[in-house]
Amino acid sequence: MNIVVTGGTGFIGGALCHSLLKEGHGVSILTRHLQQTSHGDQPINWVPWNGRDTGPWEQVLEGADAVINLAGAPIAEARWTDARKQLITDSRVLTTRLLVRAMSRHSSKPATFISASGIGYYGASDDRHLDEGAARGQGFLADLCLAWEAEALRAAEFGTRVVTLRTGMVLEADGGALAKMSLPFRLFTGGPIMPGTQWVSWIHRRDHISLIQWALTTPTVSGPINAVAPEPVTMNVFCEMLGRVLHRPSWLPVPKLALNILLGELGTLMTTGQRVIPAKAMAEGYAFHYPTLEPALRAALKKPIAPENRT
């Protein structure tokens, strides 16, 4: 396939593009950060764009088989001021709108459009299992995901199959939440973010990438897909497991009040959660590499199972 990717230099996008090239696909990356890299004999086609304006970059969409849209300013990089929330929104909603409008102008349109979203769509929730049919929740992230997905789904109006990936916490050691969470544990100061009973819906990056590639080649899949592993856990269990894998105690809780003072509204991202299940992926036959947490953490952190724990 000829595949166009936005966000192709990020924590997920970089690894995805490497995997796509390894599978023999042609990859074009729309990016502000031009590079010169390749995989074997296959170079990446780096295409300059700013995510805001029309321009020569649109030509790369002609004849593309699929577009994968992972662009967006980091959610948890800074306190959610009004300006930061506007940047987070515009970098997703306006960028997706720009892409879809550009696709609509071509005579040969991509067969598939895969666009990122998040489990924040469901808002803060209780112990209910949330599949793709669950109602939208309340709050900034729920509103953001609704608007984000609405722009992506406009591509269905001209016959493109649209998949929106509602992603949870993506686990890998070189970025994302796990890199930040593991540091206190390595320093013997790790512990759960209170109240500890909030649900953590997670996915190993290998599964996230595989799920994208599976969606590319599974024409029966469309609409929202929960990009999470089948077994969410509470924050207490997550941190207990992380401590076990790192051979460190999980003993120093992070108070909810302290997070709210430090991070403001952003703190709610860490103190609330959702118990999300990948109902569509399981029903359509996707097989997870890491369906349970401990093997996923060990793989991400390169920690083998201790001999006394082997069966």
Side-chain angles (χ1 to χ4, degrees):
M1 290 186 188
N2 291 318
I3 302 171
V4 177
V5 181
T6 72
T9 60
F11 169 60
I12 295 170
L16 170 66
C17 290
H18 178 85
S19 182
L20 290 172
L21 287 168
K22 188 176 180 181
E23 293 294 321
H25 300 292
V27 175
S28 298
I29 297 180
L30 299 177
T31 181
R32 298 177 178 85
H33 310 291
L34 297 181
Q35 303 177 32
Q36 295 295 327
T37 59
S38 63
H39 180 79
D41 295 329
Q42 286 191 280
I44 293 174
N45 180 26
W46 297 93
V47 181
W49 84 318
N50 61 13
R52 299 188 306 272
D53 302 313
T54 60
W57 63 267
E58 295 185 46
Q59 297 171 10
V60 78
L61 297 172
E62 183 67 42
D65 298 298
V67 176
I68 302 173
N69 177 32
L70 305 177
I75 292 284
E77 189 175 80
R79 190 183 184 95
W80 283 353
T81 62
D82 289 344
R84 182 67 188 176
K85 285 162 65 171
Q86 193 63 54
L87 173 64
I88 289 169
T89 299
D90 290 349
S91 66
R92 288 164 171 78
V93 176
L94 298 186
T95 295
T96 304
R97 182 182 302 165
L98 180 70
L99 271 175
V100 171
R101 286 179 175 175
M103 285 190 285
S104 72
R105 290 191 284 267
H106 287 278
S107 56
S108 176
K109 297 175 176 61
T112 303
F113 181 45
I114 298 177
S115 190
S117 183
I119 61 171
Y121 176 93
Y122 303 110
S125 66
D126 50 26
D127 288 343
R128 291 170 299 141
H129 286 86
L130 302 171
D131 63 17
E132 289 85 354
R136 176 175 66 95
Q138 302 294 319
F140 168 62
L141 289 181
D143 293 343
L144 168 64
C145 290
L146 178 67
W148 195 4
E149 292 183 14
E151 295 297 337
L153 290 170
R154 293 181 191 278
E157 296 173 5
F158 48 78
T160 293
R161 178 173 65 96
V162 179
V163 176
T164 54
L165 289 170
R166 293 176 181 166
T167 301
M169 181 191 293
V170 180
L171 303 183
E172 192 48 88
D174 60 352
L178 184 60
K180 296 176 181 178
M181 292 182 70
S182 60
L183 179 59
F185 281 86
R186 295 181 191 278
L187 298 175
F188 291 89
T189 58
I193 297 170
M194 299 306 287
T197 54
Q198 70 270 36
W199 287 93
V200 179
S201 296
W202 58 273
I203 187 169
H204 191 281
R205 188 172 66 184
R206 180 183 177 190
D207 269 315
H208 193 278
I209 291 167
S210 294
L211 198 59
I212 293 173
Q213 292 177 280
W214 171 80
L216 276 174
T217 57
T218 307
T220 56
V221 171
S222 64
I225 295 287
N226 288 337
V228 294
E231 295 193 16
V233 297
T234 64
M235 178 63 72
N236 282 331
V237 171
F238 186 96
C239 290
E240 179 184 350
M241 192 71 69
L242 179 57
R244 181 189 308 173
V245 169
L246 292 173
H247 303 291
R248 298 290 192 274
S250 177
W251 67 278
L252 190 62
V254 180
K256 180 177 179 179
L257 179 61
L259 272 181
N260 289 340
I261 293 172
L262 181 65
L263 300 176
E265 187 181 354
L266 172 57
T268 62
L269 181 64
M270 305 174 190
T271 59
T272 61
Q274 307 89 8
R275 192 178 189 180
V276 181
I277 58 171
K280 272 193 180 179
M282 292 190 296
E284 292 284 347
Y286 177 77
F288 283 84
H289 300 283
Y290 299 105
T292 56
L293 182 60
E294 183 173 355
L297 288 174
R298 291 191 179 279
L301 297 168
K302 309 299 185 288
K303 295 290 185 180
I305 300 174
E308 63 270 19
N309 293 333
R310 295 182 189 273
T311 57

